[in-house]
Amino acid sequence: MAKISSIEGRILYNSRGSKTIEVDVKSDGKFLGRVCAPSGASVGKYEAVSFPNGKPEESLRVLSENAQKFIGLDSSDLKVIHDTVRSLDKTNNYSEVGGALAFAVTIAAMESAAKAAEEPLFKILSPQSSYKFPFPLGNILGGGAHAGPGTPDIQEILVCSTGSKTIESAIETNLAVHRELRSVLEKEDPGFTNGRGDEGGWAPKLENHKALEVSVKAIENLGFTLGKEVSLGVDFASSTQWNEQKEKYVYNRAGFENSTGEQIDFAADIIEKYKLIYAEDAVHEEAFEDMSELTAKFPKTLVTGDDLTVTNKDILQKAIDKKSCNAAILKVNQAGSLFDAFEFANLATQNNIKLITSHRSGESTDSQISHIGIATKSKMLKVGVVGGERVAKLNELLRLSEHDLICGMAEI
Ligand code: PGA
Ligand code: ZN
């Protein structure tokens, strides 16, 4: 059993250039686990708070004042590490220590334990006799909270190579579609600057449907049939449009408003027309009943909660009771600690809710979430297509393809 011999943190920057924290956990004086926390832009109302009063420095102060409490703990005992973080913060949203700290400490401890055991992280996180690769789900075109004026209101158009038999081919296909989309966009708009949003998807000045049409064109130009070998997904991130006073979805960029019923029709039309395999947050984060309508209507699409379920097991239970989704995003930092996230994952799996492990728009170059996606039997890994912090996760999957224990792709 490896014991934590030191724990310390520092302030670094994420891919958006915002301050965040990195934590080093060392076991037996030499096995280093190092994790830098990500952060979101379209943040769910009920997610863990990233930092106390928005200040990473305060998380760091809490860590250094309490470092002694972690010394001597078994670094592989996730529950004990989680309980120790929890002893510093009794709030339900980590507002006193920051969810980023809970995230970084718990994952860094497990990484340190994996190194001490000379095992890959995914195996330490969940010992199984064999594993599958989740399908990479990548942002090819974006707008909403991730890009500026003129871009689509919907946040993300995603590609997933569901026909691929290997992880290499799944990654290569996503890259090819992203690349082809650039050519399509350049033809469509000679003034296209090649600008990209926070997650690496192209950010052209296009209205929602036009953005989806060019995405289909890119897939077809490569000889694929939409919805067969390669499919599209959309993260509507509808809470961004939802205006509580008006009780309407306000599409500022396209210039229209949707009532609740119109929003369901708007989303249903997109799911049908573009044969979406994946539809995330098609209605706002508190519209559990409206999500149920879509889930009932589209059993073959992953009707997914992100802001809806915020990696919170109590909220997921509500979504299960109301049949609001058939899939859910797993973002460890929405939950706080890795232990919290695994509780969420277990509840999802027990109830046949498919998991999609996901990055955040403000990412680090770490790649532990690739292991977390494998360990939680996620069907997809939503990590972008290009950009150093996105490719880091895909490259880790390629390294892991050398591992005999991982056999083939997940069944969606
Ligand atoms: P976020 O976006 O990290 O900005 O929340 C990602 C998402 O909504 O899926
Ligand atoms: Zn989302």
Side-chain angles (χ1 to χ4, degrees):
M1 167 183 116
K3 285 188 178 161
I4 295 180
S5 46
S6 67
I7 179 166
E8 48 196 30
R10 62 182 67 81
I11 302 284
L12 293 182
Y13 293 94
N14 68 22
S15 59
R16 244 197 303 265
S18 307
K19 277 186 183 172
T20 187
I21 55 162
E22 181 174 74
V23 173
D24 285 359
V25 172
K26 221 180 248 182
S27 301
D28 297 350
K30 56 184 171 192
F31 302 110
L32 174 65
R34 171 172 285 172
V35 172
C36 181
S39 78
S42 68
V43 175
K45 218 188 234 176
Y46 302 105
E47 323 192 351
V49 169
S50 286
F51 301 107
N53 307 311
K55 295 197 176 105
E57 293 80 1
E58 285 195 27
S59 289
L60 211 53
R61 180 185 50 76
V62 175
L63 179 64
S64 59
E65 282 173 10
N66 293 282
Q68 271 308 317
K69 296 186 176 137
F70 293 89
I71 308 299
L73 301 180
D74 173 355
S75 51
S76 70
D77 193 335
L78 184 57
K79 172 84 167 71
V80 165
I81 313 283
H82 164 84
D83 287 345
T84 308
V85 175
R86 266 288 172 222
S87 72
L88 311 175
D89 187 338
K90 301 280 194 291
T91 65
N92 57 8
N93 62 354
Y94 287 97
S95 56
E96 286 169 7
V97 302
L101 185 77
F103 172 97
V105 167
T106 50
I107 301 177
M110 295 306 284
E111 187 177 73
S112 167
K115 287 200 180 152
E118 295 185 7
E119 294 283 7
L121 179 60
F122 68 83
K123 203 171 160 201
I124 293 290
L125 295 178
S126 171
Q128 297 166 29
S129 53
S130 73
Y131 301 81
K132 301 243 179 250
F133 279 112
F135 280 92
L137 174 69
N139 189 335
I140 52 171
L141 197 160
H146 291 170
T151 60
D153 300 88
I154 53 178
Q155 186 177 279
E156 302 167 31
I157 299 175
L158 303 135
V159 65
C160 189
S161 177
T162 48
S164 287
K165 301 274 182 285
T166 65
I167 189 66
E168 290 86 348
S169 143
I171 291 173
E172 219 175 283
T173 304
N174 283 5
L175 281 162
V177 173
H178 188 275
R179 203 177 299 122
E180 179 60 25
L181 181 54
R182 171 177 158 173
S183 310
V184 174
L185 288 168
E186 281 170 345
K187 283 191 198 109
E188 188 71 33
D189 171 13
F192 177 52
T193 62
N194 289 341
R196 297 199 261 120
D198 285 355
E199 292 181 351
W202 303 114
K205 290 198 171 183
L206 287 182
E207 169 282 325
N208 303 303
H209 275 280
K210 193 75 202 154
L212 282 152
E213 282 162 21
V214 291
S215 301
V216 174
K217 191 156 194 333
I219 290 173
E220 290 178 349
N221 284 357
L222 293 169
F224 298 117
T225 305
L226 181 72
K228 213 169 163 210
E229 306 93 346
V230 180
S231 295
L232 287 175
V234 168
D235 181 0
F236 292 83
S238 301
S239 295
T240 312
Q241 277 82 47
W242 178 244
N243 182 314
E244 221 162 304
Q245 279 77 47
K246 288 187 167 178
E247 295 199 356
K248 282 195 165 177
Y249 294 85
V250 179
Y251 286 78
N252 276 324
R253 298 176 189 176
F256 65 91
E257 295 185 359
N258 275 346
S259 66
T260 302
E262 285 164 344
Q263 176 67 14
I264 296 174
D265 293 344
F266 172 76
D269 178 50
I270 288 177
I271 294 172
E272 269 165 10
K273 207 181 214 153
Y274 305 101
K275 303 187 169 70
L276 299 191
I277 184 133
Y278 179 89
E280 180 181 333
D281 287 338
V283 291
H284 74 83
E285 62 199 329
E286 284 165 311
F288 286 83
E289 278 81 10
D290 299 344
M291 278 288 280
S292 311
E293 261 191 54
L294 290 166
T295 304
K297 194 160 180 199
F298 297 104
K300 289 197 187 125
T301 303
L302 296 181
V303 179
T304 304
D306 170 19
D307 293 340
L308 184 89
T309 37
V310 286
T311 319
N312 177 309
K313 71 173 188 331
D314 298 330
I315 300 178
L316 179 63
Q317 187 60 59
K318 182 173 167 189
I320 291 167
D321 294 343
K322 291 181 180 285
K323 297 189 170 54
S324 301
C325 57
N326 57 32
I329 283 276
L330 181 92
K331 287 173 173 167
V332 177
N333 80 325
Q334 279 183 332
S337 83
L338 184 60
F339 182 83
D340 297 318
F342 280 175
E343 284 200 319
F344 177 91
N346 290 338
L347 181 66
T349 307
Q350 283 156 16
N351 288 279
N352 209 17
I353 301 286
K354 293 171 178 168
L355 287 167
I356 293 95
T357 295
S358 167
H359 64 174
R360 301 308 305 255
S361 51
E363 259 298 330
S364 76
T365 51
D366 289 348
S367 53
Q368 292 92 357
I369 68 164
S370 302
H371 292 254
I372 293 168
I374 292 168
T376 55
K377 300 185 178 164
S378 292
K379 301 295 181 192
M380 292 180 180
L381 187 70
K382 189 184 181 212
V383 291
V385 184
V386 297
E389 71 283 4
R390 317 289 155 191
V391 169
K393 282 78 171 160
L394 299 171
N395 282 345
E396 183 67 358
L397 293 176
L398 293 175
R399 283 184 204 106
L400 291 175
S401 69
E402 294 161 18
H403 219 287
D404 311 332
L405 279 176
I406 315 178
C407 316
M409 306 300 295
E411 273 161 42
I412 293 179

